Amino acid sequence: MTRERDLPRYVEPSFLRGLTASRITRRDALKGAGALGLGTFLAACGVGGSTAPSRVNWVWDKATKTGQLDFANWPLYIDSTQDASGATTHPSLDQFTKDTGIKVNYSEPIQDDPTFFAKIAPELKLGQATGYDLMVITNGIQMTNLQLKHWLVELDPAKLPNFFQNAAPRLKDRSYDPGNRFTIPWQSGFTGIAYNPSLTGREITSFEDLFDPKFAGKVGMMDGNQDTGNLTLIGMGINPQKSTPKDWQKAADKLKKQRDDGIVRKYYDQTYIKALSAGDTWISMAWSGDIFQANLSAGNDDLKFVIPVEGGVIWTDNMCIPVGAAHPLDAITYMNYVYQPAIAAMLAESIDYVTPVPSAKDAIDKDVAQTTDPAAKQSLQATAGSPLVFPSQSEYAHSYYYRELTPSEAGQWNDIFGAVILT
């Protein structure tokens, strides 16, 4: 099924390429992000207001297949294995190349959304290519700003038939991207708590466990203020969508006391999983699929993940094409490709996040039936039955989306939580 829509509002070609001017460094950008609110940070980067481009340009009329795709993703977020030489390979990407002739230059430069946004913003502001054709961005402040600044290519729905046929209904027409004009989901996941029971000495069930003095110096918190701020609000019994700046300050005060009491070992980016796996932390804020990946890599089940009794955060990472991408047709070809149930199953079997394709479960069940290796069969059965891959309505009802923020609210949110997390 495809949708009728207006022609996209798009940045004129002269803005996309070839402009030259002095550039700010990533360190400069990050320094600005830490010291200022988001709106102020963007101004410091030289990013102007949200004036819409005047020219309407349908990029897809001119885009041609090049046979190359530069794909930027997060670590541990795609199927991986090792070949006979010990080199890491990605079977789904290999299959994509075999089926389409498009070679993929796959990289994992995204440790968190704010840092990656700060990295690509200067190039996008100057109309320069980021070097990526496809990137995975979480719904939230950075996604909103990418759209407001007209830094994303509007998608051609006619090139995404698999998405409209196979995506979960709840993933279509999301509030952060009405009509999926710029994004379609990669995977979704939950923000909750991971722990090593052999170190905590007990099972973890509550958000308050992150504040237990018994774990002083062994608690990992996330440096991304969206996850940390929203999970704290939920832990305090506050629905993020209904929260006010007064609630945000209460949550920040709770986090500040946790920090000042020496309970927090560190505020982590994606490296939280290494600290947890190494035993540097015993309990940590975590993303659901990471724990599966960590245990898989270690060959054990030492770590556990739980959505706190108070509730967890559910978020969606989204595939999108930055303006100036050199290979947009190859990018949207891949976006459509992964919405085949068999390919979605291949990804779900390896990364254990919430797949956007419900019918992938049938493909996994089919793989279970065909697998003769007992261990592989058990792993596939676990994935097919996992509520973290195929959540029930009760899991969704027990989770909350990020607080949607206006640009002015985003600055206030950043100031309040940034004062705790970044100092």
Side-chain angles (χ1 to χ4, degrees):
M1 181 180 71
T2 58
R3 301 182 179 193
E4 294 291 333
R5 64 175 63 186
D6 294 333
L7 289 174
R9 301 177 66 82
Y10 193 59
V11 182
E12 60 181 327
S14 63
F15 179 75
L16 304 184
R17 300 176 187 276
L19 299 180
T20 57
S22 60
R23 299 170 57 184
I24 65 173
T25 66
R26 177 177 174 178
R27 178 180 295 276
D28 292 335
L30 289 172
K31 186 186 299 179
L36 307 171
L38 178 61
T40 310
F41 158 59
L42 290 170
C45 285
V47 177
S50 57
T51 303
S54 59
R55 176 173 294 185
V56 174
N57 180 10
W58 189 227
V59 66
W60 303 111
D61 287 345
K62 301 177 180 177
T64 58
K65 177 182 174 181
T66 66
Q68 180 177 340
L69 168 62
D70 294 307
F71 182 8
N73 201 351
W74 299 62
L76 302 176
Y77 214 15
I78 199 167
D79 55 316
S80 300
T81 187
Q82 291 186 332
D83 62 19
S85 67
T88 298
T89 65
H90 306 292
S92 65
L93 294 182
D94 294 340
Q95 189 65 44
F96 174 69
T97 299
K98 180 180 179 181
D99 292 343
T100 65
I102 299 171
K103 296 181 179 178
V104 183
N105 178 24
Y106 180 75
S107 61
E108 298 178 337
I110 308 175
Q111 292 291 333
D112 58 60
D113 289 298
T115 304
F116 186 70
F117 181 88
K119 177 181 179 181
I120 63 176
E123 282 81 8
L124 291 168
K125 165 60 181 174
L126 297 175
Q128 298 175 343
T130 63
Y132 305 118
D133 304 308
L134 182 65
M135 54 190 188
V136 176
I137 305 294
T138 312
N139 66 290
I141 295 171
Q142 283 71 38
M143 172 58 71
T144 298
N145 274 280
L146 285 166
Q147 294 182 38
L148 288 175
K149 303 302 177 187
H150 305 279
W151 286 348
L152 297 180
V153 171
E154 184 158 2
L155 304 176
D156 180 356
K159 292 179 171 55
L160 296 167
N162 290 339
F163 167 73
F164 289 107
Q165 180 175 346
N166 298 323
R170 71 177 189 84
L171 297 177
K172 299 175 183 176
D173 205 25
R174 298 291 301 276
S175 60
Y176 59 84
D177 182 19
N180 296 96
R181 293 180 65 187
F182 302 100
T183 71
I184 61 174
W186 169 248
Q187 309 283 308
S188 298
F190 297 96
T191 302
I193 301 174
Y195 62 103
N196 186 331
S198 67
L199 297 177
T200 60
R202 69 171 194 252
E203 299 298 333
I204 299 300
T205 59
S206 171
F207 173 77
E208 289 299 326
D209 286 316
L210 291 168
F211 297 79
D212 190 335
K214 293 181 180 177
F215 303 143
K218 298 296 182 181
V219 174
M221 299 293 286
M222 289 184 172
D223 66 359
N225 65 39
Q226 283 195 110
D227 277 308
T228 302
N230 279 283
L231 188 64
T232 303
L233 289 169
I234 295 167
M236 296 172 69
I238 301 169
N239 184 335
Q241 294 301 338
K242 299 178 180 178
S243 66
T244 66
K246 186 176 180 180
D247 296 322
W248 307 346
Q249 190 58 60
K250 289 180 181 177
D253 291 344
K254 183 177 181 66
L255 291 168
K256 182 176 184 299
K257 184 175 188 308
Q258 178 200 36
R259 183 198 64 187
D260 293 347
D261 286 349
I263 295 175
V264 177
R265 181 180 183 87
K266 186 179 175 182
Y267 297 97
Y268 292 94
D269 58 14
Q270 184 88 31
T271 58
Y272 82 86
I273 192 65
K274 294 181 179 178
L276 190 64
S277 298
D280 295 337
T281 56
W282 298 351
I283 174 175
S284 177
M285 288 181 63
W287 294 312
S288 51
D290 282 359
I291 306 309
F292 174 84
Q293 285 276 331
N295 285 337
L296 184 66
S297 298
N300 57 47
D301 294 314
D302 287 352
L303 305 180
K304 290 187 174 181
F305 176 86
V306 63
I307 297 175
V309 293
E310 296 88 349
V313 178
I314 185 169
W315 39 261
T316 298
D317 288 333
N318 304 275
M319 294 182 284
C320 51
I321 303 173
V323 295
H327 318 110
L329 187 57
D330 308 81
I332 201 169
T333 299
Y334 179 80
M335 295 166 78
N336 184 61
Y337 182 83
V338 297
Y339 272 84
Q340 298 176 81
I343 303 302
M346 187 182 296
L347 293 169
E349 290 169 3
S350 293
I351 55 182
D352 250 32
Y353 274 103
V354 181
T355 176
V357 181
S359 56
K361 186 176 186 307
D362 296 334
I364 297 174
D365 288 338
K366 184 177 179 180
D367 290 340
V368 170
Q370 295 177 343
T371 299
T372 57
D373 179 76
K377 185 182 287 291
Q378 182 178 9
S379 177
L380 290 171
Q381 289 172 330
T383 297
S386 173
L388 300 180
V389 181
F390 300 101
S392 66
Q393 288 303 315
S394 64
E395 271 89 27
Y396 285 123
H398 195 51
S399 302
Y400 300 82
Y401 289 104
Y402 291 139
R403 171 68 152 81
E404 293 184 13
L405 301 166
T406 66
S408 62
E409 288 177 332
Q412 194 170 3
W413 176 283
N414 277 1
D415 288 343
I416 289 174
F417 288 107
V420 177
I421 296 173
L422 297 179
T423 57

